[in-house]
Amino acid sequence: MEERKGKDLLQSVGGWKRTHHLAALTSENLGQEVCLMGWVQFRRDHGGLIFIDLRDRRGLTQIVFSPEINEQAHAEAHVLRPEYVLAVKGTVRERPEGMVNPRLATGEIEVVVTEWKLLNVAQTPPFVLEERAEVSENVRLAHRYLDMRRPGLGSNLVVRHKATQAIRNYLDQLDFLEIETPVLTKSTPEGARDFLVPSRLNQGEFYALPQSPQLFKQLLMYGGMDRYYQIVRCFRDEDLRADRQPEFTQIDMEMSFAEEEDVMGVAEGLVAEVFAKTLGVDLPNPVPRMTYAEAVDKYGLDRPDTRFELLLEEVTELVRGSEFKLFAQAEMVKALRVPQGSELTRKEIDDLTEFVKIYGAKGLAWIKIKDDGWQSPIAKFLSDAECTALTDHLGLQSGDIVFFQAGGADMVNTALGQLRLRLGERFDLVPADRFDLVWITDFPLMEWDDEAQRWVARHHPFTATREEDIAAMLEDPGAVIARSYDLVLNGNEIGGGSVRIHRSEDQWRMFDALGIDRAEAEEKFGFLLRALEYGAPPHAGIAFGLDRLIMILCGAESIRDVIAFPKTQKATCLLTDAPSAVASTQLRELGLRLREKKKSEA
């Protein structure tokens, strides 16, 4: 393998052939004649010698221009500036005593130049191309090709490549077929908004870019392609966050004649393979399981970060008769004890109170446990019996602080769950070098949409339920459990999937429960419903968010840091200035006309 890679580097530029990349040379190459190519990172003039750090995506090699070796080459090297592109020929020699750089793979050697060629000049970059240089994200995005030359983004893209190679190799060994599905498809809005593409040949009609290949991968199962995968581009026209992009990449998988355990086993092996091949890390095996109800009860969220404790405790019944009316009347009251957390200042507590309001909370109750009693605005409303009950139930000790949230169950769990993560960071409870995986199972099949005033699918409307729950879909939709599963890594959902509905009558029952009538179902999903009539096998699958997985592997703060050409949080590309206006002739060809903005909209 190494010999083949070496031969691949024999690239020719103007008759010169590159012999090595810029992280390849070691003391084993002493005395060899080499040809190197790359960018000038730094230039240093030391008396009669000129030192250049020459860089490519793999690393750096120090090259030396000496008047004793080639006086003309040395004289002409004074023109060199950062980011000039060079080809050099020279001899590998040891660095002088005291000049070895142990931080570089090539730190023991240098190349003394016998001949060189300027391949291109460069303007002064808008920012220094060093990893430690602080540069605003907008500047980096506008000059993404320069950002790639820096170690951070460049190394992240290498990790991304290694991960996708590991995925393909792993699934190929398990007899999966990589099959492409359409990018121009039918709009079936069930969740995020579609990106629409007007058809020139069928004016007034539109394609949609796929939010996922869900329907097509199920059709592949109907067609007998019993193990499918695809590393696929997907599109969602939704508001953006640090971990969202309008276009993103999924690792999409589907298996016929399979159930939950089959898919989960393959998925665990895939993630373990990616970590082993990219980071050299062996993940714990087997991956623990936790039900949705247990996750929300203990952690407040269905994607728990299990690397640290701080568990939520329900205390509703302990304070049901309290003089503190908010506790007494609430649907749910939960507590979060932070051992030795009473060091928090009042300003910090006020900041945390504002933080939980993001998640619908109206405030945040708290108590500091002191040697001389409880310090809190609400302490006077709690009876001695209630204080004793809370102390025993929560295991309160001097130096602790306990936070309370009261109200509707969804708000209470979400607000305290997010507060738990914030406090984990504040008290340095989250080990940075640990990777905790957990499967979350037994999700509700449906949830009530207050705005639409109907039940909607929590995952998608093709998710199966347990055989014994099928009849309850119409009678008590909120109680039905889905045969779905999410894989969570360090508090991030990295993959989710389910067993699919494979019988026509069950799919119709699901549509009925969701309030999708026959005409609407036929219009949106008629092709799928017809295919179900021809003997669909039982099947199940999963999809991973590749960008989010790579973000965790690289320790990056945003998926933008692991995508070559990402969009901003406003869904714009600062490099190409997309989206942009198009010529009126293009619109006419599509049969489209833009609505004029009213003055109030301008």
Side-chain angles (χ1 to χ4, degrees), residues 336 352 355-356 364 403 415-423:
L336 176 61
L352 294 174
F355 171 73
V356 297
L364 183 64
F403 293 98
L416 276 188
Q418 295 291 347
L419 178 64
R420 172 183 177 272
L421 297 178
R422 187 76 166 246
L423 292 169

Side-chain angles (χ1 to χ4, degrees), residues 80 92 152 228 270 318 388 421 426 555 582:
L80 296 177
V92 182
Y228 142 92
L270 183 145
L318 299 183
T388 299
L421 297 178
R426 163 62 177 81
V582 298

